[in-house]
Amino acid sequence: MKRAVKTTAAVLTIAGLFALSGCGTEAKLGKGNEEVQKASADYLHVPYEKLNQGGNLTLPISVLPEQFNPFQGNSTMAAVDLWYWYNPVVTLFDDNGNWQINPDYVTKVEDKVVDGKTVVTYSLNDKAKFNDGTPFDWKVWEGTWKAGSGQDESMVLNDSTGYEPIEKVERGENDFQAVVTYKTVFPWWKKNFNSVMHPKLAAMGADFNDAYLNNPRPEWGAGPFKIGSVDLKAGNISFVPNEKWWGKPTKLDTVYFRALDDKADMAAFRNQEIDLVGVSNKERLSQLDENTPVYTGISMGENVLTLNSKADYLKDINVRKALLKAMDRKTIMNVRFQGMKFEADPLGSLVLFQPQKGYEDNTGDLGKADPEEAKKLLDAAGWKQAEGKEFRTNDKGEELVVRMPSFSTSDTAKAINDTLMALWKNVGIKLDIQQKKPADYPQIVKDRDFDVLYSAFYAENPFGMADICQFYQQGQTLLKSGLGNDEIDKLCLDSVNAKDENEALKLGNKAEKAAMALAGAMPIMNGPAMVATKPGLANFGSMGFAKLAPELIGWTNPETVTAQGK
């Protein structure tokens, strides 16, 4: 992707869940915070040569996306998950999140500073081609930059901040060398071109927005797998070996995704209908057989509460502040991790996790629960609580009600919803929880049809601070609070154009602190991510920032695998 490092998802797909995890030694009831935070990716490591030839992999997905283009502004996590299987995976990440090129697409990368500008030269694999025969040459880099930078305002992008700092992309010594020159020194150049656009998509202009609507475009893919079948109505899609692939052949015969909600997937796993399932709560863990491999680590997903500043009652910053001050994040975490051996502080940033370099708690005073202060803020905003009344009213007699869609029917989701309802009722705010289908999520978010939204963001790679603009710059599409100002915009841009990573982290944290003070969003937690698999599934589990080449995923003999997945 161009740089949608974090993508909204109301109900994280399981394909997202395995990629949301870090790792370490498994434990059915989780780990202590310190142990998890030291962990890297956790999965059954098997060399390619020792994988079994053949076999099928069946995975759950909450819903097939309407928008299959992950570069487009209304895409969801499901689009990212599926894109991986049939499109170029240009760069890879090891178990500790270290960036590396995929030699099937890029044979060499060199970066240097010339006249105060970062210049990166990519030598491309001349064997690589898209399925329609289009060469994988320097024009792919040029097209991805031009389309991804937002030069054409008719293209609704998930994020343009990664490519805006680029001054030009040129042909190098031959068609299979791309030379990327940035406008200044750019410390986060590794975040770009991890995924690329087919040149036809990049050149489509306004049609870019609809090109992948209900159409995954198999002809524009490339890689070891291709699309085998798609059933949009049933919500199923399969991937099979690609006869046009130039690298190591796949070991799997088929990768199949089934649309399953967050209760049906657990039943399907127990019935051996799917091969992997997320089990990051007590409710799910309790349903596993004792011999089921479980992989555990720190989640790369983060729960966040977004407040819609365009909603009638939330236009007043005092009301937004009151909602946040009344929300005890630690209480929510205790509900979420009940019965699991996990303790952690609430998350203090949307761009970095606690173990990462540069992480700071940027939530300020709004991150500290204080229901009495919340009541004072509501009083100041004109919302009074009459004696004997449960909820506050304004001078028009209207109750203070906030709407929150819920996209899950799990016991954990219900418990969190009930907790929010109780916390806000305590200060006189009525929470109206509106149950929705997972398929409704993209449209509801696009239309901002909510007052408050409890959802999740997913970190695709370790360069979180490089995406500070994607979260907080005015006009970006990720965070749906509708807030921002010119001062924050400048801090964001100064951060991504800083002279080095340390300066970028300093300025980015300053920008996030200023943005958090507007009371438009509050990070809540990430915590552990736990994945259960069928015995013998190799190179696929709780992946954290790790990203392996798709052809490395397969099966080994299950009798060699212990219950802990080792």
Side-chain angles (χ1 to χ4, degrees), residues 56-86:
N56 302 312
L57 175 62
T58 303
L59 301 169
I61 191 169
S62 59
V63 63
L64 280 191
E66 179 185 55
Q67 176 59 264
F68 281 88
N69 177 5
F71 298 94
Q72 209 276 340
N74 297 313
S75 62
T76 64
M77 188 62 234
V80 179
D81 293 335
L82 298 177
W83 188 267
Y84 165 84
W85 288 99
Y86 73 106

PDB file of all heavy atoms in Angstrom, residues 56-86:
ATOM      1  N   ASN A  56      -4.550 -27.318   1.627  1.00  0.00           N
ATOM      2  CA  ASN A  56      -5.389 -26.131   1.523  1.00  0.00           C
ATOM      3  C   ASN A  56      -5.371 -25.371   2.846  1.00  0.00           C
ATOM      4  O   ASN A  56      -5.222 -25.969   3.911  1.00  0.00           O
ATOM      5  CB  ASN A  56      -6.828 -26.519   1.180  1.00  0.00           C
ATOM      6  CG  ASN A  56      -6.903 -27.310  -0.115  1.00  0.00           C
ATOM      7  OD1 ASN A  56      -6.310 -26.927  -1.121  1.00  0.00           O
ATOM      8  ND2 ASN A  56      -7.624 -28.431  -0.091  1.00  0.00           N
ATOM      9  N   LEU A  57      -5.539 -24.081   2.765  1.00  0.00           N
ATOM     10  CA  LEU A  57      -5.620 -23.231   3.944  1.00  0.00           C
ATOM     11  C   LEU A  57      -6.944 -22.481   3.886  1.00  0.00           C
ATOM     12  O   LEU A  57      -7.224 -21.773   2.910  1.00  0.00           O
ATOM     13  CB  LEU A  57      -4.456 -22.236   3.966  1.00  0.00           C
ATOM     14  CG  LEU A  57      -4.468 -21.190   5.089  1.00  0.00           C
ATOM     15  CD1 LEU A  57      -4.392 -21.847   6.461  1.00  0.00           C
ATOM     16  CD2 LEU A  57      -3.312 -20.201   4.900  1.00  0.00           C
ATOM     17  N   THR A  58      -7.769 -22.646   4.915  1.00  0.00           N
ATOM     18  CA  THR A  58      -9.068 -21.986   4.963  1.00  0.00           C
ATOM     19  C   THR A  58      -9.089 -21.011   6.128  1.00  0.00           C
ATOM     20  O   THR A  58      -8.823 -21.392   7.276  1.00  0.00           O
ATOM     21  CB  THR A  58     -10.211 -23.004   5.121  1.00  0.00           C
ATOM     22  OG1 THR A  58     -10.139 -23.947   4.034  1.00  0.00           O
ATOM     23  CG2 THR A  58     -11.558 -22.306   5.084  1.00  0.00           C
ATOM     24  N   LEU A  59      -9.404 -19.762   5.831  1.00  0.00           N
ATOM     25  CA  LEU A  59      -9.362 -18.685   6.820  1.00  0.00           C
ATOM     26  C   LEU A  59     -10.712 -17.975   6.880  1.00  0.00           C
ATOM     27  O   LEU A  59     -11.415 -17.876   5.872  1.00  0.00           O
ATOM     28  CB  LEU A  59      -8.286 -17.667   6.441  1.00  0.00           C
ATOM     29  CG  LEU A  59      -6.861 -18.210   6.326  1.00  0.00           C
ATOM     30  CD1 LEU A  59      -5.955 -17.167   5.697  1.00  0.00           C
ATOM     31  CD2 LEU A  59      -6.335 -18.623   7.685  1.00  0.00           C
ATOM     32  N   PRO A  60     -11.058 -17.448   8.043  1.00  0.00           N
ATOM     33  CA  PRO A  60     -12.294 -16.670   8.147  1.00  0.00           C
ATOM     34  C   PRO A  60     -12.054 -15.198   7.825  1.00  0.00           C
ATOM     35  O   PRO A  60     -10.956 -14.678   8.009  1.00  0.00           O
ATOM     36  CB  PRO A  60     -12.683 -16.839   9.619  1.00  0.00           C
ATOM     37  CG  PRO A  60     -11.369 -16.948  10.312  1.00  0.00           C
ATOM     38  CD  PRO A  60     -10.432 -17.645   9.356  1.00  0.00           C
ATOM     39  N   ILE A  61     -13.078 -14.552   7.351  1.00  0.00           N
ATOM     40  CA  ILE A  61     -13.058 -13.103   7.150  1.00  0.00           C
ATOM     41  C   ILE A  61     -14.445 -12.603   7.524  1.00  0.00           C
ATOM     42  O   ILE A  61     -15.445 -13.269   7.256  1.00  0.00           O
ATOM     43  CB  ILE A  61     -12.694 -12.739   5.687  1.00  0.00           C
ATOM     44  CG1 ILE A  61     -12.416 -11.248   5.542  1.00  0.00           C
ATOM     45  CG2 ILE A  61     -13.752 -13.215   4.701  1.00  0.00           C
ATOM     46  CD1 ILE A  61     -11.787 -10.891   4.190  1.00  0.00           C
ATOM     47  N   SER A  62     -14.523 -11.475   8.200  1.00  0.00           N
ATOM     48  CA  SER A  62     -15.831 -11.016   8.685  1.00  0.00           C
ATOM     49  C   SER A  62     -16.776 -10.724   7.532  1.00  0.00           C
ATOM     50  O   SER A  62     -17.962 -11.077   7.578  1.00  0.00           O
ATOM     51  CB  SER A  62     -15.669  -9.770   9.563  1.00  0.00           C
ATOM     52  OG  SER A  62     -15.043  -8.727   8.843  1.00  0.00           O
ATOM     53  N   VAL A  63     -16.249 -10.116   6.471  1.00  0.00           N
ATOM     54  CA  VAL A  63     -17.067  -9.806   5.304  1.00  0.00           C
ATOM     55  C   VAL A  63     -16.136  -9.456   4.155  1.00  0.00           C
ATOM     56  O   VAL A  63     -15.079  -8.852   4.363  1.00  0.00           O
ATOM     57  CB  VAL A  63     -18.032  -8.633   5.602  1.00  0.00           C
ATOM     58  CG1 VAL A  63     -17.277  -7.350   5.919  1.00  0.00           C
ATOM     59  CG2 VAL A  63     -19.010  -8.407   4.451  1.00  0.00           C
ATOM     60  N   LEU A  64     -16.473  -9.874   2.941  1.00  0.00           N
ATOM     61  CA  LEU A  64     -15.702  -9.418   1.786  1.00  0.00           C
ATOM     62  C   LEU A  64     -15.937  -7.926   1.606  1.00  0.00           C
ATOM     63  O   LEU A  64     -17.070  -7.450   1.694  1.00  0.00           O
ATOM     64  CB  LEU A  64     -16.131 -10.152   0.519  1.00  0.00           C
ATOM     65  CG  LEU A  64     -15.586 -11.552   0.265  1.00  0.00           C
ATOM     66  CD1 LEU A  64     -15.911 -11.982  -1.156  1.00  0.00           C
ATOM     67  CD2 LEU A  64     -14.095 -11.640   0.513  1.00  0.00           C
ATOM     68  N   PRO A  65     -14.879  -7.180   1.348  1.00  0.00           N
ATOM     69  CA  PRO A  65     -15.064  -5.734   1.215  1.00  0.00           C
ATOM     70  C   PRO A  65     -15.774  -5.368  -0.082  1.00  0.00           C
ATOM     71  O   PRO A  65     -15.636  -6.057  -1.097  1.00  0.00           O
ATOM     72  CB  PRO A  65     -13.631  -5.199   1.218  1.00  0.00           C
ATOM     73  CG  PRO A  65     -12.827  -6.312   0.630  1.00  0.00           C
ATOM     74  CD  PRO A  65     -13.479  -7.584   1.129  1.00  0.00           C
ATOM     75  N   GLU A  66     -16.524  -4.304  -0.047  1.00  0.00           N
ATOM     76  CA  GLU A  66     -17.063  -3.757  -1.290  1.00  0.00           C
ATOM     77  C   GLU A  66     -15.932  -3.124  -2.091  1.00  0.00           C
ATOM     78  O   GLU A  66     -15.862  -3.250  -3.305  1.00  0.00           O
ATOM     79  CB  GLU A  66     -18.141  -2.716  -0.968  1.00  0.00           C
ATOM     80  CG  GLU A  66     -18.748  -2.064  -2.192  1.00  0.00           C
ATOM     81  CD  GLU A  66     -19.727  -0.952  -1.848  1.00  0.00           C
ATOM     82  OE1 GLU A  66     -19.318  -0.026  -1.111  1.00  0.00           O
ATOM     83  OE2 GLU A  66     -20.881  -1.016  -2.291  1.00  0.00           O
ATOM     84  N   GLN A  67     -15.021  -2.448  -1.376  1.00  0.00           N
ATOM     85  CA  GLN A  67     -13.887  -1.771  -1.993  1.00  0.00           C
ATOM     86  C   GLN A  67     -12.642  -2.644  -1.838  1.00  0.00           C
ATOM     87  O   GLN A  67     -12.101  -2.804  -0.752  1.00  0.00           O
ATOM     88  CB  GLN A  67     -13.668  -0.410  -1.322  1.00  0.00           C
ATOM     89  CG  GLN A  67     -12.463   0.377  -1.790  1.00  0.00           C
ATOM     90  CD  GLN A  67     -12.484   0.698  -3.269  1.00  0.00           C
ATOM     91  OE1 GLN A  67     -11.890  -0.017  -4.095  1.00  0.00           O
ATOM     92  NE2 GLN A  67     -13.187   1.770  -3.621  1.00  0.00           N
ATOM     93  N   PHE A  68     -12.167  -3.239  -2.954  1.00  0.00           N
ATOM     94  CA  PHE A  68     -10.999  -4.119  -2.915  1.00  0.00           C
ATOM     95  C   PHE A  68      -9.688  -3.352  -3.072  1.00  0.00           C
ATOM     96  O   PHE A  68      -8.620  -3.956  -3.023  1.00  0.00           O
ATOM     97  CB  PHE A  68     -11.101  -5.174  -4.017  1.00  0.00           C
ATOM     98  CG  PHE A  68     -12.021  -6.320  -3.705  1.00  0.00           C
ATOM     99  CD1 PHE A  68     -13.377  -6.246  -4.017  1.00  0.00           C
ATOM    100  CD2 PHE A  68     -11.551  -7.471  -3.094  1.00  0.00           C
ATOM    101  CE1 PHE A  68     -14.237  -7.303  -3.734  1.00  0.00           C
ATOM    102  CE2 PHE A  68     -12.392  -8.537  -2.806  1.00  0.00           C
ATOM    103  CZ  PHE A  68     -13.745  -8.447  -3.122  1.00  0.00           C
ATOM    104  N   ASN A  69      -9.743  -2.062  -3.282  1.00  0.00           N
ATOM    105  CA  ASN A  69      -8.557  -1.236  -3.496  1.00  0.00           C
ATOM    106  C   ASN A  69      -8.090  -0.644  -2.170  1.00  0.00           C
ATOM    107  O   ASN A  69      -8.695   0.298  -1.662  1.00  0.00           O
ATOM    108  CB  ASN A  69      -8.897  -0.117  -4.492  1.00  0.00           C
ATOM    109  CG  ASN A  69      -7.735   0.841  -4.726  1.00  0.00           C
ATOM    110  OD1 ASN A  69      -6.630   0.652  -4.227  1.00  0.00           O
ATOM    111  ND2 ASN A  69      -7.990   1.885  -5.505  1.00  0.00           N
ATOM    112  N   PRO A  70      -7.018  -1.146  -1.573  1.00  0.00           N
ATOM    113  CA  PRO A  70      -6.596  -0.645  -0.256  1.00  0.00           C
ATOM    114  C   PRO A  70      -6.005   0.753  -0.294  1.00  0.00           C
ATOM    115  O   PRO A  70      -5.815   1.361   0.755  1.00  0.00           O
ATOM    116  CB  PRO A  70      -5.548  -1.678   0.188  1.00  0.00           C
ATOM    117  CG  PRO A  70      -4.991  -2.206  -1.089  1.00  0.00           C
ATOM    118  CD  PRO A  70      -6.140  -2.215  -2.063  1.00  0.00           C
ATOM    119  N   PHE A  71      -5.704   1.264  -1.484  1.00  0.00           N
ATOM    120  CA  PHE A  71      -5.207   2.628  -1.597  1.00  0.00           C
ATOM    121  C   PHE A  71      -6.348   3.646  -1.519  1.00  0.00           C
ATOM    122  O   PHE A  71      -6.114   4.826  -1.298  1.00  0.00           O
ATOM    123  CB  PHE A  71      -4.483   2.825  -2.937  1.00  0.00           C
ATOM    124  CG  PHE A  71      -3.275   1.955  -3.117  1.00  0.00           C
ATOM    125  CD1 PHE A  71      -3.366   0.739  -3.775  1.00  0.00           C
ATOM    126  CD2 PHE A  71      -2.036   2.342  -2.643  1.00  0.00           C
ATOM    127  CE1 PHE A  71      -2.253  -0.074  -3.955  1.00  0.00           C
ATOM    128  CE2 PHE A  71      -0.917   1.543  -2.820  1.00  0.00           C
ATOM    129  CZ  PHE A  71      -1.028   0.329  -3.481  1.00  0.00           C
ATOM    130  N   GLN A  72      -7.575   3.195  -1.728  1.00  0.00           N
ATOM    131  CA  GLN A  72      -8.728   4.103  -1.782  1.00  0.00           C
ATOM    132  C   GLN A  72      -9.199   4.459  -0.380  1.00  0.00           C
ATOM    133  O   GLN A  72      -9.128   3.654   0.547  1.00  0.00           O
ATOM    134  CB  GLN A  72      -9.854   3.424  -2.580  1.00  0.00           C
ATOM    135  CG  GLN A  72     -10.772   4.378  -3.308  1.00  0.00           C
ATOM    136  CD  GLN A  72     -11.888   4.920  -2.412  1.00  0.00           C
ATOM    137  OE1 GLN A  72     -12.217   4.342  -1.390  1.00  0.00           O
ATOM    138  NE2 GLN A  72     -12.475   6.039  -2.813  1.00  0.00           N
ATOM    139  N   GLY A  73      -9.688   5.676  -0.219  1.00  0.00           N
ATOM    140  CA  GLY A  73      -9.969   6.223   1.104  1.00  0.00           C
ATOM    141  C   GLY A  73     -11.040   5.531   1.904  1.00  0.00           C
ATOM    142  O   GLY A  73     -11.095   5.685   3.128  1.00  0.00           O
ATOM    143  N   ASN A  74     -11.908   4.757   1.266  1.00  0.00           N
ATOM    144  CA  ASN A  74     -12.987   4.084   1.996  1.00  0.00           C
ATOM    145  C   ASN A  74     -12.733   2.593   2.174  1.00  0.00           C
ATOM    146  O   ASN A  74     -13.640   1.839   2.509  1.00  0.00           O
ATOM    147  CB  ASN A  74     -14.321   4.303   1.267  1.00  0.00           C
ATOM    148  CG  ASN A  74     -14.702   5.766   1.228  1.00  0.00           C
ATOM    149  OD1 ASN A  74     -14.633   6.467   2.228  1.00  0.00           O
ATOM    150  ND2 ASN A  74     -15.091   6.247   0.053  1.00  0.00           N
ATOM    151  N   SER A  75     -11.497   2.170   1.961  1.00  0.00           N
ATOM    152  CA  SER A  75     -11.179   0.753   2.102  1.00  0.00           C
ATOM    153  C   SER A  75     -11.095   0.364   3.575  1.00  0.00           C
ATOM    154  O   SER A  75     -10.966   1.222   4.456  1.00  0.00           O
ATOM    155  CB  SER A  75      -9.851   0.433   1.417  1.00  0.00           C
ATOM    156  OG  SER A  75      -8.787   1.147   2.023  1.00  0.00           O
ATOM    157  N   THR A  76     -11.178  -0.933   3.841  1.00  0.00           N
ATOM    158  CA  THR A  76     -11.107  -1.446   5.206  1.00  0.00           C
ATOM    159  C   THR A  76      -9.951  -2.442   5.323  1.00  0.00           C
ATOM    160  O   THR A  76      -9.270  -2.753   4.343  1.00  0.00           O
ATOM    161  CB  THR A  76     -12.413  -2.159   5.590  1.00  0.00           C
ATOM    162  OG1 THR A  76     -12.580  -3.300   4.743  1.00  0.00           O
ATOM    163  CG2 THR A  76     -13.603  -1.229   5.439  1.00  0.00           C
ATOM    164  N   MET A  77      -9.780  -2.969   6.533  1.00  0.00           N
ATOM    165  CA  MET A  77      -8.714  -3.920   6.777  1.00  0.00           C
ATOM    166  C   MET A  77      -8.851  -5.156   5.902  1.00  0.00           C
ATOM    167  O   MET A  77      -7.845  -5.757   5.485  1.00  0.00           O
ATOM    168  CB  MET A  77      -8.756  -4.326   8.254  1.00  0.00           C
ATOM    169  CG  MET A  77      -7.592  -5.163   8.712  1.00  0.00           C
ATOM    170  SD  MET A  77      -6.055  -4.263   8.553  1.00  0.00           S
ATOM    171  CE  MET A  77      -5.113  -5.411   7.587  1.00  0.00           C
ATOM    172  N   ALA A  78     -10.070  -5.548   5.587  1.00  0.00           N
ATOM    173  CA  ALA A  78     -10.273  -6.738   4.759  1.00  0.00           C
ATOM    174  C   ALA A  78      -9.603  -6.584   3.398  1.00  0.00           C
ATOM    175  O   ALA A  78      -9.051  -7.543   2.845  1.00  0.00           O
ATOM    176  CB  ALA A  78     -11.766  -7.015   4.599  1.00  0.00           C
ATOM    177  N   ALA A  79      -9.643  -5.389   2.835  1.00  0.00           N
ATOM    178  CA  ALA A  79      -8.995  -5.159   1.539  1.00  0.00           C
ATOM    179  C   ALA A  79      -7.491  -5.345   1.640  1.00  0.00           C
ATOM    180  O   ALA A  79      -6.852  -5.891   0.729  1.00  0.00           O
ATOM    181  CB  ALA A  79      -9.335  -3.761   1.029  1.00  0.00           C
ATOM    182  N   VAL A  80      -6.906  -4.900   2.747  1.00  0.00           N
ATOM    183  CA  VAL A  80      -5.462  -5.068   2.964  1.00  0.00           C
ATOM    184  C   VAL A  80      -5.112  -6.547   3.064  1.00  0.00           C
ATOM    185  O   VAL A  80      -4.144  -7.029   2.465  1.00  0.00           O
ATOM    186  CB  VAL A  80      -5.021  -4.330   4.242  1.00  0.00           C
ATOM    187  CG1 VAL A  80      -3.527  -4.518   4.484  1.00  0.00           C
ATOM    188  CG2 VAL A  80      -5.361  -2.852   4.160  1.00  0.00           C
ATOM    189  N   ASP A  81      -5.908  -7.283   3.825  1.00  0.00           N
ATOM    190  CA  ASP A  81      -5.653  -8.707   4.027  1.00  0.00           C
ATOM    191  C   ASP A  81      -5.680  -9.478   2.707  1.00  0.00           C
ATOM    192  O   ASP A  81      -4.810 -10.317   2.436  1.00  0.00           O
ATOM    193  CB  ASP A  81      -6.705  -9.300   4.966  1.00  0.00           C
ATOM    194  CG  ASP A  81      -6.595  -8.757   6.374  1.00  0.00           C
ATOM    195  OD1 ASP A  81      -5.496  -8.321   6.755  1.00  0.00           O
ATOM    196  OD2 ASP A  81      -7.612  -8.753   7.088  1.00  0.00           O
ATOM    197  N   LEU A  82      -6.681  -9.207   1.884  1.00  0.00           N
ATOM    198  CA  LEU A  82      -6.825  -9.946   0.637  1.00  0.00           C
ATOM    199  C   LEU A  82      -5.783  -9.529  -0.392  1.00  0.00           C
ATOM    200  O   LEU A  82      -5.288 -10.359  -1.166  1.00  0.00           O
ATOM    201  CB  LEU A  82      -8.235  -9.750   0.080  1.00  0.00           C
ATOM    202  CG  LEU A  82      -9.367 -10.278   0.971  1.00  0.00           C
ATOM    203  CD1 LEU A  82     -10.722  -9.955   0.357  1.00  0.00           C
ATOM    204  CD2 LEU A  82      -9.236 -11.773   1.218  1.00  0.00           C
ATOM    205  N   TRP A  83      -5.446  -8.248  -0.410  1.00  0.00           N
ATOM    206  CA  TRP A  83      -4.446  -7.728  -1.351  1.00  0.00           C
ATOM    207  C   TRP A  83      -3.138  -8.506  -1.243  1.00  0.00           C
ATOM    208  O   TRP A  83      -2.488  -8.785  -2.262  1.00  0.00           O
ATOM    209  CB  TRP A  83      -4.221  -6.246  -1.053  1.00  0.00           C
ATOM    210  CG  TRP A  83      -3.370  -5.488  -2.016  1.00  0.00           C
ATOM    211  CD1 TRP A  83      -2.022  -5.268  -1.937  1.00  0.00           C
ATOM    212  CD2 TRP A  83      -3.798  -4.811  -3.211  1.00  0.00           C
ATOM    213  NE1 TRP A  83      -1.582  -4.502  -2.992  1.00  0.00           N
ATOM    214  CE2 TRP A  83      -2.662  -4.204  -3.792  1.00  0.00           C
ATOM    215  CE3 TRP A  83      -5.034  -4.651  -3.835  1.00  0.00           C
ATOM    216  CZ2 TRP A  83      -2.728  -3.458  -4.957  1.00  0.00           C
ATOM    217  CZ3 TRP A  83      -5.091  -3.906  -5.006  1.00  0.00           C
ATOM    218  CH2 TRP A  83      -3.960  -3.323  -5.557  1.00  0.00           C
ATOM    219  N   TYR A  84      -2.743  -8.849  -0.050  1.00  0.00           N
ATOM    220  CA  TYR A  84      -1.491  -9.563   0.207  1.00  0.00           C
ATOM    221  C   TYR A  84      -1.378 -10.854  -0.594  1.00  0.00           C
ATOM    222  O   TYR A  84      -0.291 -11.232  -1.025  1.00  0.00           O
ATOM    223  CB  TYR A  84      -1.415  -9.853   1.713  1.00  0.00           C
ATOM    224  CG  TYR A  84      -0.387 -10.866   2.141  1.00  0.00           C
ATOM    225  CD1 TYR A  84       0.938 -10.494   2.345  1.00  0.00           C
ATOM    226  CD2 TYR A  84      -0.746 -12.201   2.378  1.00  0.00           C
ATOM    227  CE1 TYR A  84       1.885 -11.430   2.769  1.00  0.00           C
ATOM    228  CE2 TYR A  84       0.191 -13.133   2.790  1.00  0.00           C
ATOM    229  CZ  TYR A  84       1.500 -12.748   2.984  1.00  0.00           C
ATOM    230  OH  TYR A  84       2.422 -13.669   3.405  1.00  0.00           O
ATOM    231  N   TRP A  85      -2.495 -11.512  -0.816  1.00  0.00           N
ATOM    232  CA  TRP A  85      -2.451 -12.848  -1.410  1.00  0.00           C
ATOM    233  C   TRP A  85      -2.316 -12.852  -2.927  1.00  0.00           C
ATOM    234  O   TRP A  85      -1.904 -13.858  -3.504  1.00  0.00           O
ATOM    235  CB  TRP A  85      -3.687 -13.642  -1.001  1.00  0.00           C
ATOM    236  CG  TRP A  85      -3.636 -14.047   0.432  1.00  0.00           C
ATOM    237  CD1 TRP A  85      -4.256 -13.450   1.494  1.00  0.00           C
ATOM    238  CD2 TRP A  85      -2.882 -15.130   0.986  1.00  0.00           C
ATOM    239  NE1 TRP A  85      -3.937 -14.086   2.670  1.00  0.00           N
ATOM    240  CE2 TRP A  85      -3.099 -15.131   2.383  1.00  0.00           C
ATOM    241  CE3 TRP A  85      -2.052 -16.106   0.439  1.00  0.00           C
ATOM    242  CZ2 TRP A  85      -2.513 -16.060   3.237  1.00  0.00           C
ATOM    243  CZ3 TRP A  85      -1.465 -17.041   1.284  1.00  0.00           C
ATOM    244  CH2 TRP A  85      -1.698 -17.011   2.664  1.00  0.00           C
ATOM    245  N   TYR A  86      -2.653 -11.766  -3.601  1.00  0.00           N
ATOM    246  CA  TYR A  86      -2.622 -11.840  -5.065  1.00  0.00           C
ATOM    247  C   TYR A  86      -2.021 -10.609  -5.726  1.00  0.00           C
ATOM    248  O   TYR A  86      -2.136 -10.434  -6.941  1.00  0.00           O
ATOM    249  CB  TYR A  86      -4.038 -12.092  -5.612  1.00  0.00           C
ATOM    250  CG  TYR A  86      -5.009 -10.934  -5.559  1.00  0.00           C
ATOM    251  CD1 TYR A  86      -5.359 -10.244  -6.723  1.00  0.00           C
ATOM    252  CD2 TYR A  86      -5.594 -10.528  -4.370  1.00  0.00           C
ATOM    253  CE1 TYR A  86      -6.259  -9.186  -6.698  1.00  0.00           C
ATOM    254  CE2 TYR A  86      -6.495  -9.481  -4.329  1.00  0.00           C
ATOM    255  CZ  TYR A  86      -6.829  -8.817  -5.498  1.00  0.00           C
ATOM    256  OH  TYR A  86      -7.729  -7.765  -5.463  1.00  0.00           O
TER     257      TYR A  86
END
